[in-house]
Amino acid sequence: MKQMFLVLVVFFGFAGNAMAVDCSHSMLRFPMSEITQTLQRNPQAADTLEGVHMYWIRWGAQQESIQITEVALQCLESQGVVERFKLLNHVLWRRARN
């Protein structure tokens, strides 16, 4: 619970009633880089948030919270690198199709 609170405090600021993500935060650099590299190696890759978190990012001994991966994906989506799409009851992430 403490880690989730830290994620919200670090990454989300309030702009009126909307929450804004700070995509330049140093904690996001590693997962964003790992996701981008995975898509460069395998441009056809697509996975759920959980799959991206577990298999696309080489966390090493200290795996971060899945919320970090979710924010990293949202940042990459805002940059046009990835997109989400729905397949049956699942939301999948893949390289953005321009």
Side-chain angles (χ1 to χ4, degrees):
M1 183 68 168
K2 183 178 178 183
Q3 189 174 22
M4 175 63 153
F5 178 73
L6 178 62
V7 168
L8 292 174
V9 169
V10 169
F11 294 114
F12 296 101
F14 293 95
N17 292 334
M19 290 193 299
V21 176
D22 179 6
C23 293
S24 66
H25 195 281
S26 61
M27 285 184 72
L28 292 173
R29 284 188 206 126
F30 177 72
M32 289 173 67
S33 174
E34 288 285 302
I35 293 165
T36 302
Q37 289 176 30
T38 297
L39 291 171
Q40 287 171 347
R41 287 189 305 269
N42 186 1
Q44 301 305 316
D47 214 333
T48 62
L49 169 62
E50 293 80 7
V52 171
H53 183 72
M54 291 176 58
Y55 303 113
W56 293 20
I57 304 171
R58 296 172 290 194
W59 292 108
Q62 289 257 207
Q63 189 174 67
E64 287 289 343
S65 167
I66 196 166
Q67 286 82 15
I68 298 291
T69 301
E70 184 173 25
V71 173
L73 285 165
Q74 290 171 0
C75 288
L76 290 170
E77 181 181 40
S78 72
Q79 296 170 6
V81 175
V82 300
E83 66 183 14
R84 65 180 100 190
F85 68 99
K86 194 163 185 166
L87 182 64
L88 301 174
N89 293 328
H90 302 283
V91 174
L92 299 175
W93 293 88
R94 67 180 177 196
R95 181 178 53 88
R97 311 284 200 258
N98 298 335

